[in-house]
Amino acid sequence: MLAVAWLVAALSTLRLQAADHPIEITSDKSEMSNGVAVATGNVKLSTRGITMTADKIEYAPDWSVVRLFSLDARGGYMLTAVVSITK
């Protein structure tokens, strides 16, 4: 079961608790769209001492993964990684 908390400050922060480890996502902007949390702009995902960066991250409470995207040459987003947030 994942717990989700949004904190609004100069940066947007999404904190998740997956199994036995916390996950923190910081970004310039975050919003909910059709039940999916979307973080964009200077996105960083940190968990278990590892930090990953992306241009966009998507997460939904019923998913067991976080999807990371990079900007492509046309200004759209390209899926670059799918990270498991379970044990």
Side-chain angles (χ1 to χ4, degrees), residues 1-2 16-23 47-48 85-87:
M1 185 78 172
L2 295 173
L16 311 171
Q17 182 65 39
D20 63 344
H21 58 281
I23 298 167
T47 187
R48 296 180 177 173
I85 56 172
T86 59
K87 271 188 157 179

Side-chain angles (χ1 to χ4, degrees), residues 1-4 16 32 34-37 59-65 85:
M1 185 78 172
L2 295 173
V4 178
L16 311 171
M32 290 296 289
N34 297 322
V36 176
Y59 165 77
D62 57 339
W63 297 354
S64 61
V65 297
I85 56 172

Side-chain angles (χ1 to χ4, degrees), residues 14-82:
L14 171 61
R15 291 200 173 103
L16 311 171
Q17 182 65 39
D20 63 344
H21 58 281
I23 298 167
E24 182 173 279
I25 300 170
T26 59
S27 63
D28 293 339
K29 180 182 175 188
S30 62
E31 63 186 13
M32 290 296 289
S33 177
N34 297 322
V36 176
V38 179
T40 55
N42 299 309
V43 184
K44 291 182 184 177
L45 181 145
S46 300
T47 187
R48 296 180 177 173
I50 299 170
T51 299
M52 293 171 267
T53 60
D55 294 307
K56 176 181 171 181
I57 288 180
E58 293 180 345
Y59 165 77
D62 57 339
W63 297 354
S64 61
V65 297
V66 175
R67 300 188 301 194
L68 289 82
F69 297 82
S70 293
L71 283 171
D72 66 19
R74 293 171 281 169
Y77 289 102
M78 176 177 64
L79 180 65
T80 54
V82 177

